[in-house]
Amino acid sequence: MTDAPTPRYDVVPTSLMASMSGLDFVRKMFAGELPQPPIMENVEPFDSTAEPGVVVFHSVPGFRHYNPIGSVHGGYAAILLDSAMGLAVHSMLPVGTGYTTLEFKISFIRGMSKDSGAVRTEGKTLNVGRRAATAEARITDSKGRLIAHATTTCLVFEIPKDAA
């Protein structure tokens, strides 16, 4: 793993999020200067990087992520994929702009277990417009094999001035 500070999990005030570009926000979150969203405590990402339109992070599936049939629950992959796509979109947004997921589709290719080791999740934007954005993401194992992939459409909006 890394020598990065232990992640803090909390919700960043909208006014703080609205005061910086999306790329600055995502980078500060990955650097531990801002808290990570509480949902990420479930997947504990590490080695996270952000460039305009692209985010990458790693995570390790464990026994705590198992479903009743003895494999990692699909929700684990959904958290990773939705987060990567959303943060890729966020990394392209100017100051005062927000987004929310309108829909996403996941395809599961191969299962994960507690023995899978670290998985890599990469999200990339396909198009970011004034009102909508699309992105895709992939989860691969340490051998580069595809585990799951997804696409999303996000609503892009101006954050109301009274929230900022």
Side-chain angles (χ1 to χ4, degrees), residues 87-150:
L87 291 173
V89 167
H90 199 164
S91 75
M92 295 295 290
L93 299 180
V95 172
T97 306
Y99 76 96
T100 191
T101 300
L102 288 174
E103 60 85 27
F104 70 99
K105 179 193 181 302
I106 299 174
S107 295
F108 298 100
I109 307 303
R110 90 179 3 98
M112 289 183 273
S113 77
K114 62 181 176 49
D115 300 320
S116 293
V119 296
R120 180 181 193 272
T121 304
E122 180 176 4
K124 293 181 181 181
T125 58
L126 298 170
N127 184 69
V128 180
R130 289 184 319 116
R131 296 180 51 110
T134 56
E136 63 185 4
R138 300 166 49 95
I139 300 173
T140 53
D141 66 15
S142 62
K143 296 177 182 168
R145 297 178 299 185
L146 185 63
I147 293 171
H149 60 93

Side-chain angles (χ1 to χ4, degrees), residues 22-163:
L23 183 60
D24 288 342
F25 178 84
V26 174
R27 284 180 171 166
K28 285 180 183 291
M29 186 178 59
F30 284 171
E33 297 171 35
L34 292 172
Q36 292 196 23
I39 189 71
M40 297 309 275
E41 190 169 7
N42 296 302
V43 296
E44 299 176 330
F46 63 94
D47 288 343
S48 306
T49 60
E51 297 300 327
V54 179
V55 299
V56 176
F57 49 82
H58 296 82
S59 183
V60 179
F63 183 74
R64 69 191 181 109
H65 301 116
Y66 272 40
N67 59 30
I69 62 172
S71 62
V72 173
H73 191 282
Y76 177 85
I79 291 171
L80 295 175
L81 293 164
D82 187 41
S83 297
M85 293 182 295
L87 291 173
V89 167
H90 199 164
S91 75
M92 295 295 290
L93 299 180
V95 172
T97 306
Y99 76 96
T100 191
T101 300
L102 288 174
E103 60 85 27
F104 70 99
K105 179 193 181 302
I106 299 174
S107 295
F108 298 100
I109 307 303
R110 90 179 3 98
M112 289 183 273
S113 77
K114 62 181 176 49
D115 300 320
S116 293
V119 296
R120 180 181 193 272
T121 304
E122 180 176 4
K124 293 181 181 181
T125 58
L126 298 170
N127 184 69
V128 180
R130 289 184 319 116
R131 296 180 51 110
T134 56
E136 63 185 4
R138 300 166 49 95
I139 300 173
T140 53
D141 66 15
S142 62
K143 296 177 182 168
R145 297 178 299 185
L146 185 63
I147 293 171
H149 60 93
T151 57
T152 192
T153 301
C154 295
L155 175 67
V156 176
F157 56 87
E158 181 180 340
I159 296 172
K161 300 292 185 227
D162 58 351

